[in-house]
Amino acid sequence: MNSIEHIGIAVKDIEISARLFSKLLNTPPYKTEIVESEGVLTSFFMVGNTKVELLQATNPESPIARFIEKKGEGIHHIAFGVTDADAEIARLTEEGFEMIHTQAKPGADNKMIAFAHPKSTNGVLVEVCSDRGE
Ligand code: ZN
């Protein structure tokens, strides 16, 4: 793992939360993007060398909708930057972690991403992400 790439925060209304986080972080979001495959609308803020990702569900089946139903708004995941997401999936699997994705898939912000199941990581939803490249 090379860095904490971003922290994902589940929100009910991304417009309201983007305004709140713009004030909190004193910077506007640099990008807003829908990730259809995950059923999320995302908004990204730069904070020094890392980022905050706001996530709003785009449909009731979205993992974000289910998360908010169970736990309410709040920190959803921590994303670690890695050189090669697929290599990291292989390493984590070898170490006995349960991966939700056994193959990296395209995520927001030009990344290849995969999640480890929180039941194998002390309740923390862990994302690994690498640059998508060419
Ligand atoms: Zn993320």
Side-chain angles (χ1 to χ4, degrees):
M1 311 273 188
N2 302 331
S3 63
I4 293 182
E5 216 282 331
H6 62 268
I7 295 173
I9 298 173
V11 301
K12 287 180 185 164
D13 184 322
I14 205 159
E15 273 187 42
I16 291 171
S17 295
R19 280 201 295 276
L20 187 144
F21 275 84
S22 294
K23 282 188 214 164
L24 179 72
L25 303 172
N26 200 21
T27 186
Y30 69 89
K31 165 185 267 194
T32 296
E33 184 180 352
I34 289 180
V35 184
E36 213 61 75
S37 61
E38 290 289 301
V40 293
L41 176 58
T42 65
S43 203
F44 283 90
F45 298 79
M46 277 311 301
V47 185
N49 293 327
T50 188
K51 300 164 186 164
V52 167
E53 174 187 33
L54 301 182
L55 302 133
Q56 180 204 296
T58 57
N59 68 71
E61 306 307 315
S62 162
I64 294 300
R66 293 201 300 265
F67 177 88
I68 288 176
E69 213 169 280
K70 264 200 271 179
K71 300 187 173 176
E73 294 179 299
I75 293 180
H76 177 257
H77 65 271
I78 297 179
F80 294 97
V82 299
T83 309
D84 178 340
D86 278 309
E88 200 60 24
I89 291 167
R91 187 186 73 82
L92 292 172
T93 304
E94 178 74 24
E95 292 286 0
F97 293 100
E98 188 185 325
M99 298 303 296
I100 293 172
H101 304 109
T102 52
Q103 213 180 11
K105 57 181 230 163
D109 208 26
N110 292 314
K111 302 290 182 190
M112 292 302 287
I113 65 159
F115 283 94
H117 201 288
K119 75 183 175 198
S120 69
T121 50
N122 282 177
V124 179
L125 179 58
V126 170
E127 174 184 346
V128 294
C129 61
S130 57
D131 290 329
R132 211 178 289 182
E134 66 285 354

